[in-house]
Amino acid sequence: MDMQFLTNEGQQRALSQLEFLRTVKRAEIAQYLREAVEAGDVTRNAAFDDAKFEQAQLEKRIAELEQLLANAQIVDVEQVATEVVSVGSVVHLAAENGSTRQYTIVGSYEADPGAGRISHESPVGKALLGRRASDYIIISTPGGVKTYTIIRVE
């Protein structure tokens, strides 16, 4: 697994999800398995097969979260420098047409472009890293070429 960046908030969300999956979801699936076994012959029992599949998916997700948390570099957004754009920065941009955008640069696990949280690995994220306020940037994205001026970095 490549190096992943997590903000403090992202780390807490991952820990909460992991705890939920380990406790609540594991118990639910264990109950489904018990019910399927009690229903009779497990060799021809679709409910048992479904429960085993769900169990495998759950354990895979738990392992992914454990690995993410074990290997992630935690970014304290309170300590992020505001001179240059880095993971954890909030970047305010102005487009040529006068519209403005605000992006928070995060690791890929936390990316949610619709909410303005873009991955440092995305085309826009890559173009912004290391830049400063007042820099003019041209970004080639899947939606076409975009040009922005960085208004400020928080």
Side-chain angles (χ1 to χ4, degrees):
M1 177 178 238
D2 292 334
M3 169 61 75
Q4 289 288 324
F5 292 96
L6 285 176
T7 62
N8 296 340
E9 180 184 333
Q11 180 188 34
Q12 289 307 310
R13 274 197 312 270
L15 285 168
S16 294
Q17 183 182 20
L18 182 59
E19 182 65 20
F20 174 77
L21 295 176
R22 284 178 173 165
T23 56
V24 175
K25 290 304 285 181
R26 270 185 177 159
E28 285 178 8
I29 291 174
Q31 180 61 34
Y32 296 152
L33 282 168
R34 277 191 293 280
E35 290 171 3
V37 168
E38 290 170 0
D41 184 11
V42 294
T43 59
R44 293 188 200 152
N45 186 330
F48 181 78
D49 291 341
D50 288 345
K52 289 298 285 182
F53 177 77
E54 287 293 319
Q55 182 183 43
Q57 294 298 97
L58 172 69
E59 294 305 323
K60 178 182 174 191
R61 181 66 181 146
I62 287 171
E64 288 171 353
L65 286 169
E66 288 172 341
Q67 183 161 358
L68 171 71
L69 289 164
N71 297 319
Q73 180 175 338
I74 307 304
V75 177
D76 184 353
V77 295
E78 301 297 321
Q79 303 298 318
V80 173
T82 57
E83 297 81 39
V84 297
V85 177
S86 62
V87 174
S89 295
V90 177
V91 185
H92 298 265
L93 304 171
E96 286 185 323
N97 65 7
S99 66
T100 60
R101 294 186 181 271
Q102 174 182 312
Y103 291 119
T104 302
I105 311 299
V106 296
S108 58
Y109 173 77
E110 293 181 81
D112 182 359
R117 299 175 66 82
I118 61 170
S119 168
H120 69 289
E121 298 172 334
S122 71
V124 175
K126 284 180 183 178
L128 290 172
L129 289 177
R131 298 303 193 100
R132 299 175 181 276
S134 76
D135 281 358
Y136 180 78
I137 57 174
I138 300 171
I139 305 168
S140 179
T141 70
V145 175
K146 311 282 186 194
T147 56
Y148 297 104
T149 300
I150 300 174
I151 300 169
R152 80 175 176 272
V153 179
E154 299 176 356

